[in-house]
Amino acid sequence: MGGQEPASYIVSPALDGGQAVIFVPGLGGRTKFVERWNEPGREPVVRRATWSEPMNVPSVDERGAALAALIADSGATDVVLVGHSMGALVCLEAAKHLERQLRGIVVMCQYPPHRTPVSPLAELPDRALAEELEAPSHIMETAALPEYARLWRSEYQLLNRYLETDSRPMLNAPIIAVGAKDDASSWNTECLNDWSQYTTEWLSVHMIDGGHQIVEQLPPETLHEWVRKVRG
């Protein structure tokens, strides 16, 4: 490997030792919509965590540990982690490695690990898998679809292995769990309430209209209100 840096998260804008709100996307890694959350003059800035090697698919707990190490080395303070779908589980794994730096996490469209069923999507044919994930049309029609599908299957296989370990990290920070009414991964408030088993602090559950990708239409003021709430 000749001294090549190991794959890890890249946080943009870069961490600077101050307060930080970091968004971790789920499968597919879409983050462009975060630009809406950073309207001119709106604070704090929401930073995006993207994996440095998209075709290198590490486990959920490895990703969490890598993100936590990056945060710890940066000296960032009052950190709030915001995760969507599988990104919420990465946030949970990162949070367990952080101590006084962490103020809380916001998990969106994701049940806690012990209430998340193993996914059958890894067994679908390429196009059916793309349709299930609501992949953009330019990906659906590209000759590279089989490679995208391979990546998606790898991520689902890793997610399933993580769920099968029955991992239950315990945090000393509050959790806000956000469900979407038309999302099979988060519509059940009883399941969302079980996030309380992962923290010694408080849990607040919120239900919003929409489906699994509602995060891409989430109003900036809504997200910033949740950040303020976990920071107290």
Side-chain angles (χ1 to χ4, degrees):
M1 299 294 288
Q4 179 179 342
E5 288 294 321
S8 186
Y9 277 104
I10 298 172
V11 175
S12 177
L15 295 167
D16 56 11
Q19 292 186 339
V21 180
I22 303 171
F23 173 73
V24 183
L27 192 74
R30 294 185 293 210
T31 62
K32 186 173 178 57
F33 57 88
V34 174
E35 295 173 5
R36 291 191 303 101
W37 297 344
N38 292 325
E39 296 170 344
R42 187 181 293 277
E43 295 290 340
V45 171
V46 180
R47 304 166 194 266
R48 298 183 280 190
T50 56
W51 195 247
S52 62
E53 295 182 17
M55 293 310 192
N56 177 348
V57 185
S59 65
V60 172
D61 49 343
E62 287 178 306
R63 294 186 207 200
L67 180 58
L70 180 65
I71 293 169
D73 291 345
S74 75
T77 58
D78 294 332
V79 175
V80 177
L81 299 177
V82 180
H84 174 248
S85 192
M86 187 173 68
L89 301 177
V90 173
C91 287
L92 177 66
E93 287 296 317
K96 78 179 185 184
H97 296 287
L98 299 171
E99 296 181 357
R100 295 182 180 180
Q101 289 170 295
L102 181 70
R103 295 299 296 273
I105 67 174
V106 179
V107 295
M108 293 188 281
C109 298
Q110 178 64 53
Y111 292 141
H114 74 285
R115 297 300 296 267
T116 302
V118 170
S119 175
L121 295 184
E123 307 304 321
L124 291 178
D126 294 354
R127 180 165 291 275
L129 178 57
E131 290 173 351
E132 189 70 28
L133 297 178
E134 301 178 11
S137 58
H138 71 276
I139 291 179
M140 293 281 287
E141 304 307 325
T142 181
L145 177 59
E147 184 63 13
Y148 280 103
R150 181 201 65 79
L151 175 65
W152 296 330
R153 287 194 189 91
S154 296
E155 294 211 333
Y156 271 118
Q157 290 162 357
L158 287 169
L159 173 61
N160 286 344
R161 284 203 285 273
Y162 174 75
L163 296 174
E164 289 168 346
T165 66
D166 196 27
S167 176
R168 297 198 188 189
M170 180 60 67
L171 310 185
N172 296 313
I175 299 175
I176 289 180
V178 181
K181 296 176 182 176
D182 298 322
D183 173 32
S185 301
S186 64
W187 68 269
N188 189 317
T189 54
E190 179 184 351
C191 291
L192 290 174
N193 278 320
D194 268 6
W195 275 108
S196 64
Q197 297 183 24
Y198 295 77
T199 180
T200 61
E201 293 287 338
W202 52 264
L203 167 73
S204 179
V205 173
H206 300 257
M207 292 298 299
I208 56 179
D209 293 327
H212 192 68
Q213 298 301 336
I214 191 61
V215 63
E216 299 188 20
Q217 289 81 45
L218 190 71
E221 56 271 16
T222 301
L223 177 66
H224 283 265
E225 176 57 32
W226 292 335
V227 171
R228 286 192 294 271
K229 185 171 182 177
V230 296
R231 280 188 169 156

